[in-house]
Structure formats: C-alpha cells, structure tokens
Amino acid sequence: MKLLVGFVLCILVGLGFTYCNVPLGMMFGPLITVLVLKRTGLSVPVLPGSMTVIQLSLGTSIGLLFRDFSFGVQGNIAFLLMFLLLCLFLQFTACYLWCIHRLRWSKEEALLGAVPGAMAAVLALASHIKTPPQKIIISHSLRLITLTLFAGYISGGAHTPTAMSPVLFTATNILWLLGIVLAGYVLGKCLERVHFPAPFMITSLLCAALLHPFSSQTVLFPDVFNQFSMALMGILLGHHFIAFTLTAFMRHLWSSMQLITIGLGVTVIMALTAAHLLDYPFYLLMLSWVPGSVESMSFAALALNANASFVMASHIIRMLLIQTIPAMVIYRKREVTQDNGATMRKPTKPL
C-alpha cells in the first residue's frame, strides 16, 4: 500500500509542477518526490520495464514526426557529424586529463569518469575492471541530474501540447499505433540480446518512420503517454541518488562538479562555434551534444517543437561510440596484462 501511495504521489506532484508551468514538470516532480519520501522512510517503486516504456514512447512519438518533418540540415550533416565527434573527443580528453592530473584518480577510474554519459555502460565496464564504483556513480548521477535541469531550463518557455484530438480515438489511429509499438518492441528485444544501446527507442523510431507513410491518415501519438513516461524517468533519476548516503555524496560532490563544468564548457564552445559557422540554432546543438540522457534531451526537444529527430540521432551516435571505444580499450589492456602474466609464468629451460 505504501508503494502505491508513493507512486500516486509522484504523479500528483508532477501534475502540480506542470500546472505551475515548471519546465519538464512531470519529470522533476517525481524526482523530487522520490528524494523527499526517502527521508521520511517511504519508498517509491520503479515499475518493472520502466525504461522499455520510456524508450517505446519516445521512439514512437519522434518517429511519427518523420512523415511531415525534415532534418533541414542535409547540406550540413557531414560537418555536424564532424563537430559531434570532435566535441566528444574534447569532452573525454579534457575530463580524463583533469581526473589524472588534478583529481589524482587512477587511470581506470579516470577512463570511466571521463566517459561522456551512458551510466549503464560505465557501470558494466566498472564491473570488469573491479574499480570501486561509488565515485563513478556519484559523478555520472550528478551529471545526469544537472544536464536534465539544463534541458528543462532551455525548454522553459515551451509547452508540450496536451489537447486530445478526436483522431486519437479512431480505430485506424489506434491500430497503427499498436502495430508500430508492437513491431518496435519485438525488434527491440532482438537488439537487446546483443546489448545494443537504447534498443527499443531505435526500433520503435525506425518502425514509426518507415510504417507511418503507408497510413491513409496522419497517425497521432497521445501526449499523455509521453507525460507518463516523463514521470517514470523522474522516478528512475531519483533512484540514482538514493542509492548512496549523503556523506558519500558530499565527499565526491566537488570532483563531480568539476567534471560537469569541464564537459559543459567544452559543449558550449563547440556549439557556439558550429552555430556561427553553419548558421544552426545554438540551443538545439547544446541539446544534441551535452553528455546527458537521450531521454531527457529528447523530451526537451519535443517540448520546444524542435528537431527532436536530430537530437535523438546525435545522442544515439554518442552512445554507440562511448559504449564501444572504452570497452575495446579496457579489453585490450586486459589482454596485454594476461599476456605479460603468462610470459612471466612461463618456465625457463635449465642451462
């Protein structure tokens, strides 16, 4: 009963925040509620499959935009990709060198702490190298919350439409939505088996984008589902912080803030440069290149009626890179270590 009360309270607080025009209120309301209830002894459950629901909701709603929505940057895609890769490289390099020379972290801790986002991949790598993950978790959790707040600030003046169109309840619209979501879920389960990043988001987006043109009418996605997904996202973010004590959090707060400042500073410089050279909106480049959550940034882009497909594509590319490159580096390092150990253990022939 306490779990149900806590969850319902999160929804009510989120609705209250939204009514008061708080940016991304349905996300920040549950987040704050989880933190407050933790201090009173109450717990808020994380619904099983929350991330799957979030990814399917975001992927479908953004994929449906492709029917009447253009990237609008066909001539600049190559340059934007180059800037994205350069931005990721500078974010990682600057944070890594700071961890090594200023924070005095080990090379393994610096590698994980400098990775620009994707906490799940970072924790998986931490388990392979047996690094104490506390400072890594705190650093990435704080960065996730900070950049989510940043996304909310950017979308502060925007309001996601909540009016229910009569088309939403037609049989055609409901059947197409069910078909797209089901196809995205089935294909997402296949990608999930090979540990592909954000599998359900990618498959539902592709299914929506590819199947939508075959519909005789424009398929609409109910905004209430996106609002519910934002509430689930807020609860998940809140649970990142209640996983460790306040003492541990304060001990690693300063180092985490330094890494956030460095990563955000690099992003601002790169976004300003690209916006000036390519005449592209600065706020959209910031949402696309900050090392934050693809879900949070996509929600902010939807609230702004901005190019959410470009934002999501940029973060998917980022996740692909940061899940593969650090893993390859650590795997190679382990191979070298094992080879050296085998060489040292190799018996020598008697003279």
Side-chain angles (χ1 to χ4, degrees), residues 1-268:
M1 186 62 183
K2 289 183 178 180
L3 299 181
L4 179 60
V5 170
F7 185 79
V8 171
L9 187 58
C10 283
I11 300 296
L12 292 177
V13 173
L15 291 173
F17 275 38
T18 302
Y19 180 78
C20 296
N21 294 326
V22 175
L24 301 180
M26 282 301 293
M27 186 184 301
F28 289 122
L31 190 158
I32 294 173
T33 304
V34 169
L35 298 179
V36 173
L37 290 182
K38 175 64 176 179
R39 302 303 172 187
T40 64
L42 294 176
S43 59
V44 180
V46 174
L47 293 184
S50 290
M51 189 52 72
T52 301
V53 173
I54 293 169
Q55 291 185 18
L56 287 173
S57 175
L58 266 174
T60 303
S61 58
I62 294 178
L64 292 175
L65 299 176
F66 276 78
R67 178 164 178 158
D68 301 308
F69 200 73
S70 172
F71 278 92
V73 291
Q74 288 82 355
N76 294 325
I77 287 179
F79 291 105
L80 287 169
L81 178 60
M82 181 185 67
F83 272 106
L84 170 62
L85 297 178
L86 180 59
C87 184
L88 287 174
F89 173 77
L90 293 177
Q91 286 171 346
F92 175 80
T93 302
C95 290
Y96 179 81
L97 293 177
W98 190 265
C99 289
I100 292 292
H101 298 293
R102 301 292 298 181
L103 302 180
R104 305 299 181 185
W105 288 9
S106 67
K107 291 183 178 180
E108 289 81 6
E109 291 173 339
L111 176 65
L112 296 177
V115 171
M119 185 186 299
V122 169
L123 294 182
L125 293 174
S127 65
H128 285 296
I129 65 175
K130 297 180 175 58
T131 297
Q134 190 177 71
K135 68 173 68 173
I136 307 300
I137 294 175
I138 293 175
S139 176
H140 281 274
S141 297
L142 190 61
R143 175 162 53 192
L144 186 62
I145 298 295
T146 302
L147 294 178
T148 301
L149 288 168
F150 167 79
Y153 171 76
I154 286 184
S155 61
H159 303 282
T160 306
T162 56
M164 289 287 188
S165 170
V167 179
L168 285 172
F169 306 104
T170 62
T172 302
N173 194 76
I174 293 174
L175 289 175
W176 272 102
L177 277 180
L178 289 177
I180 290 171
V181 171
L182 181 60
Y185 177 78
V186 173
L187 294 176
K189 293 295 287 186
C190 298
L191 286 186
E192 189 179 38
R193 292 182 178 180
V194 296
H195 307 290
F196 202 85
F200 299 101
M201 184 183 299
I202 295 173
T203 53
S204 59
L205 186 149
L206 290 176
C207 288
L210 295 175
L211 296 177
H212 194 191
F214 293 100
S215 172
S216 59
Q217 66 180 44
T218 300
V219 179
L220 300 179
F221 190 82
D223 183 64
V224 65
F225 289 150
N226 269 335
Q227 298 297 321
F228 180 72
S229 298
M230 290 177 70
L232 294 179
M233 188 67 191
I235 294 174
L236 286 172
L237 290 174
H239 275 266
H240 280 305
F241 272 99
I242 64 176
F244 37 77
T245 64
L246 182 62
T247 303
F249 173 75
M250 295 304 297
R251 184 166 63 249
H252 299 295
L253 175 62
W254 176 234
S255 59
S256 300
M257 291 304 299
Q258 293 178 60
L259 295 179
I260 293 171
T261 302
I262 293 172
L264 195 57
V266 170
T267 309
V268 169

